[in-house]
Amino acid sequence: MSNRPLKLLLIDQDPIFRLGLRVALSALPDIEVVAEAETETTALQILAELAQQDPHQVNLVVLELGNGRSISSQQQGLQLCQQLKIQYPQLPVLLLSAVQEPGLLLAVQAGGVNGYCSKGTPISELVAAMKEVADGGAYWFPEKHSVEPTTHHPIVSPSSLPLARLRKNWYLSGIGYLEATLAEVTAQLQTPGLPLIDRAVFAGQRRELLASRWLLTRLLVSPQERQEEQTIATQKPSVLPSLSSVIVPLVSPQPETSPPLLSPRSLQSDLFSLCVTKLQLSLQNVTDVALEIDIFREDKKRELLYLILQKLAQKLDELRVPQVRIAQLETLKDSILYDLWQVVITDFFGKFYRVQVSKQDIEVVNLLLQNYRVIQTEIFNKIPLVVELFSYLVFQTDLHIDNTCYDVGSAEAKSQALIILENLLIQVANGVVQPLLNSLADVEEIKQNYYDRRLISTREIERFRNELSWKYRLNKYINEPKAIFESSYELFVLAPRGIAKTSLYAPRGQELAQLSGIPLLVTLALEFRDAIAPRLKSLLAIVGSSIVFLLTKIVGRGLGLIGRGILQGIGSVSLTEKNFKRNGERPK
């Protein structure tokens, strides 16, 4: 066992337990709790930030499966374990949990978790387990904490316990590998702008993995055991689901007509985890549209987007109360966005952050928060499909977008929701930066702390602000009327190469009817162009054919006759000269 110091990330929803464990470990040498997190999104964000600074800053994750009691939180914890192993395969994970359920513990083990200790384990034994796991070993079911399967788990039959246990281990090992690979392939398929041939390859891999998963389940789980599981699930709905239903529902290779639903909190956690993963990619703007956040360094952009995602998760949790209904989301949207914008500005810049401007001491947050009406008009009111996203995440409604209804539990719904979420994050970030550019753009302290080096001079800042001004004029008078007329929305998404653009269909007839002034003239010009385009093309085709006929059939033929005559004349003269020379005479 090595003597290198333990650097822990502690993930647990109970703040009292985290505090107690931190205090207990602080008295021991060579153990440091580097960070702690209450939610899955926060944990993934912390790991991503630490990985940017130093990949070895954390060498062990200690976590609890949700709150250890509800089924949804345990499923959520399983998803976090799988996500950790996909993103950080070399990072050891120790489960420190109140969970005693054998099937669930075996499922966690199959998912790649390296060790387990129950809460209440003596601190000396806990430290030994941590060191064993951190050194690359495993710590599962020591003798005095041995966990034996109970009789209510149909996969383990009392009559053939060793064989059933071996078969279960095979099943868990295979299903864990398949699930991890399937998650990677599904994530690749959700990449915006993926070439058609790559999409076909990944789609084929996904079908093969689904077929393998179905075959593995059929081979290693007998029909009798599956029937017993279904019977137990029907008779005892409050009991923890069996192992196969915890890891993955039994599915066939055929498309699912009614995909199994996650709990709303798990649905949100799964989507936000995907977003955290994509935030680790490049954040360079590869579109032809200037964004306010382009003035920030990449690390500051990433920090801002992480913070918005974290605060949005908290705001969505506040909606999960009986008093809030789906019909109220439309009226609550503005308040949610305002609260989100306000708390992000306060936390990102710091409540008491001050700068000196012309010998005046300016409170940055108070100054920025005075600009909300402009932000609401220019940015927030134009963010599309916010209510649909909130309804999907909080109430698990189907997504009705892009002229299609996506079932809430389907991969397609998750992919579309991820696009809307990414656009929301980017636009809220723009709303945070815009008042800074309006009021404090050329303050040296702010430039040094936040700006990209390429945009740090006064001249480049003014160019950037002018480009943004023209963007808003162009959007107001040209791009937005055009998008309304085309019944579409332009959204910004996180792609592997950076921030890119995509479009979604949406009926916008009501907005079209309300257009006036220059935007209305733009739509009329588009309609006029569409109306005359076919006739104009036909006319040009006729004129073009006439010109071709004139040049080839008449002018060309005439030129050809003239040329032929000239050639024939030249040829006749030459022949005559030759005849006279042959007869010794000169032509007269």
Side-chain angles (χ1 to χ4, degrees), residues 235-276:
Q235 294 175 351
K236 299 180 180 180
S238 61
V239 175
L240 184 70
S242 62
L243 182 60
S244 59
S245 62
V246 169
I247 295 294
V248 55
L250 300 180
V251 295
S252 63
Q254 290 79 18
E256 298 176 351
T257 56
S258 56
L261 301 185
L262 298 170
S263 69
R265 188 65 180 81
S266 298
L267 191 71
Q268 174 185 315
S269 176
D270 193 21
L271 189 66
F272 280 34
S273 296
L274 289 174
C275 196
V276 167

Side-chain angles (χ1 to χ4, degrees), residues 40 65-66 70-82 104 240-242 245-249 261-263 266 269:
E40 294 78 8
L65 288 182
S70 70
I71 292 174
S72 62
S73 68
Q74 291 168 355
Q75 291 176 330
Q76 192 175 321
L78 282 172
Q79 292 171 5
L80 174 61
C81 294
Q82 293 175 352
L104 189 58
L240 184 70
S242 62
S245 62
V246 169
I247 295 294
V248 55
L261 301 185
L262 298 170
S263 69
S266 298
S269 176

Side-chain angles (χ1 to χ4, degrees), residues 172-230:
L172 290 172
S173 176
I175 210 72
Y177 172 78
L178 287 173
E179 282 297 301
T181 309
L182 186 60
E184 293 177 1
V185 172
T186 303
Q188 292 287 347
L189 276 170
Q190 293 170 353
T191 303
L194 189 67
L196 182 61
I197 187 167
D198 291 344
R199 185 174 296 278
V201 171
F202 286 128
Q205 291 178 353
R206 187 173 186 274
R207 286 194 297 270
E208 292 172 359
L209 289 168
L210 288 173
S212 300
R213 188 173 65 175
W214 175 82
L215 183 61
L216 183 68
T217 303
R218 292 293 172 180
L219 289 176
L220 297 182
V221 181
S222 68
Q224 181 181 359
E225 290 168 345
R226 288 195 296 270
Q227 186 176 2
E228 290 175 2
E229 288 179 354
Q230 294 173 0

Side-chain angles (χ1 to χ4, degrees), residues 232-510:
I232 291 174
T234 304
Q235 294 175 351
K236 299 180 180 180
S238 61
V239 175
L240 184 70
S242 62
L243 182 60
S244 59
S245 62
V246 169
I247 295 294
V248 55
L250 300 180
V251 295
S252 63
Q254 290 79 18
E256 298 176 351
T257 56
S258 56
L261 301 185
L262 298 170
S263 69
R265 188 65 180 81
S266 298
L267 191 71
Q268 174 185 315
S269 176
D270 193 21
L271 189 66
F272 280 34
S273 296
L274 289 174
C275 196
V276 167
T277 302
K278 297 184 72 173
L279 282 174
Q280 298 178 56
L281 304 172
S282 170
L283 294 178
Q284 179 184 359
N285 184 3
V286 297
T287 71
D288 56 353
V289 179
L291 299 174
E292 283 80 354
I293 57 173
D294 290 343
I295 201 166
F296 276 4
R297 301 193 306 266
E298 183 148 327
D299 63 317
K300 285 299 179 181
K301 280 194 278 190
R302 185 171 288 109
E303 179 185 343
L304 177 58
L305 292 168
Y306 277 140
L307 181 61
I308 295 170
L309 188 65
Q310 180 183 350
K311 298 302 180 182
L312 177 61
Q314 296 174 2
K315 295 301 174 186
L316 292 175
D317 287 342
E318 293 173 3
L319 293 175
R320 294 186 175 93
V321 293
Q323 292 80 9
V324 177
R325 298 183 299 275
I326 297 179
Q328 296 175 296
L329 288 178
E330 185 66 46
T331 57
L332 291 173
K333 182 192 74 171
D334 291 341
S335 298
I336 295 170
L337 292 179
Y338 172 73
D339 291 344
L340 177 63
W341 177 78
Q342 184 180 42
V343 72
V344 168
I345 285 182
T346 304
D347 286 8
F348 184 71
F349 294 105
K351 185 176 182 180
F352 303 106
Y353 182 43
R354 295 171 178 267
V355 294
Q356 291 290 330
V357 180
S358 301
K359 298 182 180 180
Q360 293 183 354
D361 193 25
I362 304 294
E363 293 184 3
V364 173
V365 170
N366 288 339
L367 180 62
L368 299 184
L369 292 180
Q370 296 172 12
N371 292 266
Y372 180 68
R373 292 303 174 193
V374 176
I375 303 303
Q376 183 181 33
T377 303
E378 296 294 336
I379 298 178
F380 287 175
N381 287 347
K382 299 174 183 179
I383 303 177
L385 307 170
V386 175
V387 174
E388 288 80 358
L389 176 66
F390 289 174
S391 178
Y392 168 79
L393 292 173
V394 177
F395 298 103
Q396 276 199 304
T397 58
D398 296 338
L399 273 179
H400 296 268
I401 58 174
D402 210 20
N403 203 30
T404 307
C405 178
Y406 299 99
D407 292 335
V408 62
S410 65
E412 292 80 6
K414 184 189 299 184
S415 177
Q416 297 295 331
L418 185 61
I419 291 174
I420 302 170
L421 175 61
E422 291 168 2
N423 181 70
L424 175 62
L425 295 181
I426 294 169
Q427 296 292 9
V428 172
N430 289 334
V432 170
V433 179
Q434 193 195 70
L436 185 75
L437 293 173
N438 290 340
S439 307
L440 303 170
D442 204 20
V443 177
E444 284 299 325
E445 183 179 344
I446 290 177
K447 292 195 292 186
Q448 293 174 9
N449 291 336
Y450 297 97
Y451 286 7
D452 190 299
R453 288 189 59 187
R454 296 169 297 177
L455 299 171
I456 206 167
S457 70
T458 300
R459 182 182 184 186
E460 291 300 329
I461 291 172
E462 290 307 312
R463 283 181 174 179
F464 184 74
R465 294 176 62 186
N466 289 334
E467 188 175 358
L468 288 174
S469 298
W470 280 108
K471 178 192 78 170
Y472 283 107
R473 294 188 184 99
L474 188 64
N475 284 343
K476 180 178 180 180
Y477 296 118
I478 304 296
N479 293 337
E480 288 179 7
K482 183 173 179 292
I484 290 174
F485 188 56
E486 294 175 349
S487 302
S488 66
Y489 285 117
E490 293 288 331
L491 291 88
F492 294 97
V493 295
L494 303 172
R497 65 186 186 278
I499 297 176
K501 276 198 311 183
T502 188
S503 61
L504 290 177
Y505 166 82
R508 307 187 68 177
Q510 186 176 358

Side-chain angles (χ1 to χ4, degrees), residues 510-524:
Q510 186 176 358
E511 297 170 272
L512 184 62
Q514 295 174 353
L515 288 179
S516 61
I518 295 178
L520 178 60
L521 292 177
V522 170
T523 60
L524 292 176

